[in-house]
Amino acid sequence: MAKEKEFEPNIIAFLCNWCSYAGSDLAGTSRIKYPPNVRSIRVMCSGRVDTSFILSALKEGADGVLIAGCHPGDCHYQTGNYKTKRRTLLLKKLMDQLGIDEKRVRFEYVSASEGQKFADVVTEFVDELKKLGPCTLKKEVK
Amino acid sequence: MNKKIGVFICHCGENIASKVDVKKLSEYAETLDDVVVSKTYKYICSEAGATLIKDTIKKYKLDAVVTASCSPRMHETTFRGIIKDGGLNPFNLEIANIREQCSWIHDDPKIATEKAKKILKGAVAKARLLESLEPPKVKVIPKAMVIGGGIAGIQSALDLAEDGHQVYLVEKTPSIGGRMAQLDKTFPTLDCSGCILTPKMKEVFSHPNIELITYAEVSNVDGTIGNYKVTVNKKARYVQLDKCKGCGDCAEACRLHDRIISEFDMGMGKRSAIYIPYAQAVPPKYTIDKDTCLMLTKGKCGSGPLCVEACPEKCIDFNQQDTIVDINVGVIVVATGYDVLDPSALHEYSYRTSEDVITSMEMERLINSAGPTDGKIVCPSNAEKPKSVTYVLCVGSRDETACSWCCRIGCMSALKQIYLLNEKLGDDVELNICYTDIRSFGKGYEEFYRKIRGMNVNLFRGRPSEVRNSEKGLIIDIFDTITNKLFEITSDLVVLVPALVPREDTETFSRILRISQSADGFLLEAHPKLRPMDTFTSGIFIAGSCQGPKDIQDSVAHASGAASRAANILSKKEYETEPYISVVDEDLCSGCATCISICPYDAIELEKQKDDTTIAKVNETLCMGCGACVVACPSGAMQQRGFNDKQLLAMIHAYAKEED
């Protein structure tokens, strides 16, 4: 009997242009290996990430959403990272009510020099989502 | 009407093609909606690659181009230029980053190819919705600010001034000159540091295009490339700068004469409370140290301040206040230098517990004939000539527990000092060096090292496990990895060569400027090889050791480079900025003003319409393009060009959907 294929979570990552996208690039430039489950969307600022984007991603089939921005005080646009962090925290509170595990959404500070941190965050997130299994929101919405 | 999209997949030599099956990826690309052609090429950023892209645009009448290549942070500008030459608006470009975010992180070609397909799918999904954009043009204020008056800042300021640009040179301390002014001689040529530096300092002082602002700090930066508003806090000197002739009568008269530790002399010498850091200081003007002056700390100085009495020009003013000025410039060059690691925390070297363990910067002041001992080399504990001196290199450097990096100047500065000590102390003084590796990489450095090897100097390869006090003097325990023997060196004077570290205030300062730090804490360059003077913030450049440890020759080269990059911008009347600004859909806007409250730049205002309703209006020159207002807008009226909801949702959709 063929071995059952292991569940591979699909992660969408919103990365700010100045810190986190650069950090993710640095992971590549430093040839750090991490799981292939993440697809990144570059935004100029993490403050551009609308909560509806996060819900859309989960609704349309993503198993987890990562939002990464500059460290506190480092935002290229002063306060965009705080705005998104606040919104994400609020969303996480609502998610339980929607029946989605709040662990499926993750906000992280990743600077342009933190290639290793980016890889670690993705690795950890993949492990966690594997434990949670596929997100069923898509089926439920249908 | 559907767009015609062309996909260009780069092999990047082997960088991409060894992991991603580019042929398969290209076949997959052609199955995606609106893709009319897909091509692969060895290097699409090359001239031949550019020709391929331009010819294909014309042949297939393409509306948009997707490259599957390196990161947009690498070649976005290159590809925009290429498609512009091919007749497209440069913003009809989307980049699928399949190098940094794919081929370089996955070893398995199957996994890498599958991931590349996904990434490409998302990029094409966005490309289908791209719009032509016109970048706003900003007027460039033809002035520059250089922050930091060490050799790097001096060089940048002079280069820019010689180019005909107005320069403000802001220095934190009372005088320019920086670290180089503290040195005696420079390696490997043994030029007298002061002799080559002071003429440049004078030139800065008298240059018609340079306005020197010393004893001042940058406290805020607003604006963007072409038009920065820099807030500078000019600290009170309590001396009227225009009247002070620098005669020094005040310092001689000061009640605290020779009683305050001199920062410039690294604590090896003393000064007064009213002081000039050193004789050749520029500007040659006195400053009152408000932390020690009796008038300023206690409100009285004996029967009256003696400096006031002594000053022939009557220029001392205890009521002077800090003044804050705003200066508008087009570009900023940051040349704030480095700090020297305080070896106190490395207890094994007994820096705190023995007076005769000093740092190489302290030795520099002892060697200097204008220094506190007039150039006499003495042990600080007894003011006697040492019979033996031992150097310990890499103190904190190349050490995972302190600073992982190499300080790049330690070996050569120690070899230089050894040479000078031998010259000054004579052959009967024993000289020892404990080194990790001798790194003599620059022009003429290896030759200098060979000269030292030919002298009567003992070299031990290794790091001392301890420097300890004993009755015989200082004892250095070192295991020499060349002879595999443990040595116990007895020495009168130990000189530590500490790591170079980022300036203490780098974190706060980088935030003020909105530039980044690298993992080691120094300021981050836009690209380590190709853009070493640029930062990710357009119009802000870095020069010298603030970017990472450098010797004088490298600092000067880096600083001239930064000045040249800055001059590129100053020589333009207008500068094109990123077009990713917010725009209001007037039909949807209800004028609720939520966006106004969220905008960090006050770039949005309400505008009265003919029908008396109000709607939001974005000021294109003030908008920085963060997109926060788009998220805040309750009616979906606000959109960010280049990153609008439809485009981002299309990417989300492409990525989220299960495999086709």
Side-chain angles (χ1 to χ4, degrees), chain B residues 149-176:
Chain B
I151 183 60
I154 288 173
Q155 185 67 37
S156 286
L158 286 174
D159 281 0
L160 283 163
E162 278 302 295
D163 259 3
H165 305 295
Q166 171 80 40
V167 182
Y168 299 94
L169 177 58
V170 179
E171 164 60 35
K172 195 174 182 174
T173 68
S175 169
I176 57 169

Side-chain angles (χ1 to χ4, degrees), chain B residues 119-318:
Chain B
I119 296 174
L120 182 62
K121 190 178 161 195
V124 169
K126 186 176 176 191
R128 295 176 67 200
L129 299 166
L130 286 175
E131 295 162 345
S132 297
L133 302 175
E134 289 308 324
K137 287 184 178 135
V138 292
K139 278 218 168 69
V140 176
I141 296 172
K143 295 176 179 179
M145 179 173 289
V146 177
I147 306 170
I151 183 60
I154 288 173
Q155 185 67 37
S156 286
L158 286 174
D159 281 0
L160 283 163
E162 278 302 295
D163 259 3
H165 305 295
Q166 171 80 40
V167 182
Y168 299 94
L169 177 58
V170 179
E171 164 60 35
K172 195 174 182 174
T173 68
S175 169
I176 57 169
R179 294 281 175 201
M180 190 175 168
Q182 294 175 295
L183 307 181
D184 180 48
K185 295 212 164 60
T186 58
F187 60 77
T189 47
L190 300 173
D191 284 303
C192 152
S193 188
C195 312
I196 53 178
L197 176 67
T198 43
K200 276 186 178 287
M201 290 163 62
K202 286 244 165 61
E203 211 183 322
V204 165
F205 192 52
S206 56
H207 203 293
N209 288 346
I210 299 178
E211 184 177 330
L212 182 58
I213 306 171
T214 50
Y215 211 46
E217 285 182 61
V218 168
S219 58
N220 192 44
V221 175
D222 278 329
T224 178
I225 181 167
N227 188 3
Y228 281 109
K229 187 177 91 182
V230 188
T231 309
V232 177
N233 180 16
K234 294 184 181 178
K235 290 174 279 187
R237 285 180 109 111
Y238 306 100
V239 170
Q240 294 174 46
L241 216 55
D242 47 339
K243 282 164 106 187
C244 176
K245 298 276 184 292
C247 67
D249 292 354
C250 54
E252 283 297 322
C254 178
R255 252 177 249 280
L256 298 175
H257 181 63
D258 271 353
R259 284 168 66 184
I260 311 293
I261 287 172
S262 158
E263 301 85 355
F264 184 79
D265 283 333
M266 302 301 293
M268 307 301 275
K270 300 278 172 67
R271 60 167 169 82
S272 308
I274 185 163
Y275 71 109
I276 191 164
Y278 54 106
Q280 302 81 16
V282 168
K285 313 272 178 182
Y286 278 74
T287 304
I288 298 182
D289 173 2
K290 73 170 165 46
D291 296 326
T292 53
C293 168
L294 297 170
M295 274 305 279
L296 293 168
T297 52
K298 301 203 166 22
K300 69 184 267 247
C301 174
S303 50
L306 299 174
C307 54
V308 176
E309 245 174 70
C311 177
E313 301 294 325
K314 301 288 164 237
C315 53
I316 292 162
D317 175 8
F318 288 108

